Amino acid sequence: MTNTQAIAHQLAKVLTRYSADYIEARLEESQSSYITYRGRELDSIGRVRAIGGNVRAMVKGAWGFVSFNDLNELPGRVELAVKQAQFAGSEESQLAPVEPVVDILSTEPDKNPVVIPLAEKKQLLDEYNDIIWRTPKLQTSMIGYGDSYKKVIFLNSSGSYIEQDRADVILRLTAVATADHEVQQAVLSLGSRGDFSLIQGLHQPIEQMAQHAVELLSAPQVKGGEYTVVLDPVLAGVFAHEAFGHLSESDFVYENDRLREIMTLGRKFGSSQLNIVDNATMPGLRGSYKYDDEGVPATKTYLIREGKLVGRLHSRETAAKMKEKPTGNARAINYHYPPIVRMTNTYIEPGSASFEELTGDIKEGIYVKNWYGGTTSMEMFTFSAGEAYMIRHGKLAEPLRAVVLTGNVFTTLMNIDGIGNDLKMNQGGGCGKGEQVPLPVTNGSPHIRIRHCLVGGR
Ligand SMILES: [Zn+2]
């Protein structure tokens, strides 16, 4: 038994002795490594080990939260969290009931990317950087690699004791090309649930990415206006997560009167083909887990089913306050933060259309691929696509400079009139909410077609 486990076992015995309505503790041991390049030069490389934890206590509806790096300080920290909560609490504590769970999932890591020597990782990234720099007209490049392995022990005053582990790998490459005062860029973003082999052997896609940045220098700008657009699985997945998914987070819904009115269960949001799901129970994805950071079992939650709003994402507290079932969506980026309502693996379920069926009857439209960036503000979104092509008479035509899609998420959901049969999950994403960024998530979708989409140049 490790020292952290011994401390957790001791704490489990005494957690009910404090005068609080509820107490939980999370103890973490993590290792991570990172390598970054700016242009040709190596920018940073290193390894980090961290150990720490937190205690969260609820008294009369208020939370106390204390994080710490020295596990030996634990009893004092529990008292402090309880005192904080006692000081602020004045209502009734509301937490949806959950059966206590005792489960030990982690014994030995089968995929720990951190143990692969840094030299081996650097050699692979050197090769990738060389490929990028073989491209003519290159102005600069960026590479960011990170991996981690984390063991988490969760326990609470209801008798839950859970040990889980998780591993992550993330790689993002950017190539920037320039000619005649023009600058264009292309991005490739990938990730995995700790499997380093998924970022090996990418020499060819990276070469294509760098060449794409150069091609864009001579590509025409789109003529702004309304088009029928076909989104690839990456961009459609980001749309599902960013434009719609965040509006399904119940802490946000509960606190916002207008949004609560809009997000009425049973309301029609799209055609009967449209299903949007958040599902942490899918195996092996970056947003997957068995229990969330409140010890609640992960679930598959339909947000939109057959076009109607049927669910939303909950912590125990939001579920109790909104009188709905907990969904196991309380997540914290690390022990420095309390869990908040987050997405996991969010995707549009596949339909039946082939890519040719989606594009076949489009006279003049646009095919948009990959996520480049964007912003959302309530129901409005603005997304930049990484790649774009004209669709002419049902066929893919010339490449375009990067385009921007703008719209109202609810109007856009209604305008989805074609859903492909080719669901793909994109593992390159990281989600931000408040200070907690980037949280490992996965977005996915098949190709989808949207009518009357407003498209502009970047
Ligand atoms: Zn997000």
Side-chain angles (χ1 to χ4, degrees):
M1 190 188 281
T2 67
N3 186 34
T4 310
Q5 282 168 320
I7 289 168
H9 281 294
Q10 262 176 358
L11 184 65
K13 282 182 213 146
V14 299
L15 217 48
T16 50
R17 290 187 204 157
Y18 296 86
S19 48
D21 297 329
Y22 171 78
I23 308 176
E24 67 183 19
R26 240 175 335 120
L27 310 180
E28 286 183 18
E29 285 176 22
S30 70
Q31 319 159 33
S32 56
S33 70
Y34 57 90
I35 305 175
T36 62
Y37 294 72
R38 273 176 196 277
R40 286 178 191 274
E41 304 301 318
L42 182 70
D43 183 46
S44 69
I45 183 165
R47 267 188 193 204
V48 182
R49 266 176 182 278
I51 189 160
N54 66 59
V55 177
R56 197 167 67 135
M58 190 182 240
V59 178
K60 292 186 178 168
W63 289 109
F65 179 83
V66 179
S67 69
F68 46 86
N69 293 99
D70 186 349
L71 299 188
N72 298 315
E73 297 171 2
L74 243 173
R77 299 293 160 177
V78 179
E79 252 161 60
L80 188 58
V82 172
K83 273 201 185 121
Q84 275 186 8
Q86 283 170 338
F87 185 70
S90 62
E91 295 162 16
E92 198 191 334
S93 288
Q94 294 187 68
L95 284 179
V98 174
E99 284 294 310
V101 173
V102 176
D103 200 353
I104 295 173
L105 294 162
S106 53
T107 42
E108 284 301 313
D110 57 342
K111 279 198 180 104
N112 180 353
V114 186
V115 299
I116 298 167
L118 269 178
E120 195 177 311
K121 294 168 187 165
K122 181 178 173 293
Q123 196 196 326
L124 179 70
L125 299 177
D126 280 343
E127 286 171 27
Y128 290 167
N129 211 19
D130 285 347
I131 289 171
I132 294 173
W133 279 93
R134 249 184 257 145
T135 315
K137 299 182 185 170
L138 199 77
Q139 185 189 47
T140 191
S141 67
M142 276 163 283
I143 299 179
Y145 169 85
D147 57 31
S148 66
Y149 177 77
K150 186 157 91 171
K151 211 176 170 72
V152 184
I153 301 177
F154 171 88
L155 55 150
N156 69 19
S157 53
S158 314
S160 283
Y161 182 95
I162 300 167
E163 291 186 17
Q164 292 186 98
D165 61 356
R166 68 165 301 131
D168 265 298
V169 173
I170 189 96
L171 174 65
R172 187 177 167 89
L173 309 103
T174 309
V176 183
T178 183
D180 306 325
H181 308 290
E182 291 276 357
V183 177
Q184 290 293 322
Q185 54 188 334
V187 177
L188 188 63
S189 196
L190 298 129
S192 81
R193 180 74 185 227
D195 187 354
F196 186 73
S197 73
L198 291 182
I199 65 142
Q200 290 175 309
L202 297 173
H203 304 74
Q204 206 185 348
I206 287 167
E207 189 177 348
Q208 284 167 356
M209 180 220 30
Q211 279 168 359
H212 186 70
V214 176
E215 278 162 23
L216 287 175
L217 290 168
S218 54
Q221 189 106 27
V222 71
K223 185 167 156 281
E226 255 187 32
Y227 290 90
T228 297
V229 296
V230 174
L231 274 63
D232 84 325
V234 174
L235 194 57
V238 170
F239 171 77
H241 171 108
E242 288 293 340
F244 181 73
H246 279 290
L247 302 182
S248 297
E249 293 168 344
S250 289
D251 46 355
F252 190 32
V253 179
Y254 184 74
E255 287 156 17
N256 190 309
D257 289 343
R258 202 171 132 253
L259 190 60
R260 203 158 17 150
E261 212 168 285
I262 296 170
M263 300 297 277
T264 307
L265 296 182
R267 186 168 167 178
K268 193 170 156 62
F269 276 78
S271 84
S272 59
Q273 300 175 61
L274 183 67
N275 297 296
I276 303 183
V277 183
D278 183 86
N279 185 1
T281 68
M282 296 171 98
L285 297 178
R286 293 186 65 235
S288 307
Y289 48 79
K290 193 166 175 198
Y291 304 99
D292 75 356
D293 289 320
E294 292 184 322
V296 179
T299 58
K300 176 178 181 179
T301 307
Y302 274 88
L303 306 175
I304 292 180
R305 190 168 212 165
E306 294 177 356
K308 288 193 181 129
L309 189 74
V310 292
R312 48 181 143 246
L313 307 177
H314 282 296
S315 63
R316 290 183 64 183
E317 188 177 19
T318 63
K321 285 180 168 171
M322 296 181 81
K323 300 186 172 49
E324 291 171 14
K325 278 198 180 124
T327 57
N329 283 85
R331 304 179 68 190
I333 196 161
N334 59 42
Y335 66 85
H336 295 289
Y337 298 97
I340 53 175
V341 181
R342 304 299 294 257
M343 279 172 271
T344 63
N345 307 307
T346 312
Y347 56 96
I348 298 175
E349 282 191 335
S352 57
S354 67
F355 183 70
E356 289 71 26
E357 282 166 340
L358 292 178
T359 56
D361 61 354
I362 300 175
K363 235 169 108 185
E364 190 191 54
I366 298 173
Y367 177 44
V368 282
K369 279 179 81 173
N370 286 331
W371 157 253
Y372 180 72
T375 55
T376 57
S377 156
M378 276 293 281
E379 67 258 52
M380 299 308 292
F381 68 87
T382 302
F383 289 161
S384 303
E387 288 178 55
Y389 302 85
M390 284 306 295
I391 300 169
R392 296 187 190 283
H393 303 289
K395 297 250 150 34
L396 287 191
E398 73 273 16
L400 295 166
R401 289 272 170 98
V403 302
V404 176
L405 311 182
T406 314
N408 173 297
V409 60
F410 302 114
T411 314
T412 307
L413 286 169
M414 281 292 185
N415 287 339
I416 297 176
D417 79 334
I419 298 180
N421 56 12
D422 51 354
L423 170 67
K424 262 202 194 127
M425 302 302 285
N426 167 30
Q427 299 261 67
C431 176
K433 184 172 178 181
E435 293 176 307
Q436 299 197 46
V437 59
L439 185 78
V441 294
T442 304
N443 308 322
S445 177
H447 279 91
I448 61 170
R449 184 173 66 198
I450 304 172
R451 298 283 182 193
H452 311 296
C453 189
L454 197 59
V455 179
R458 192 181 281 160

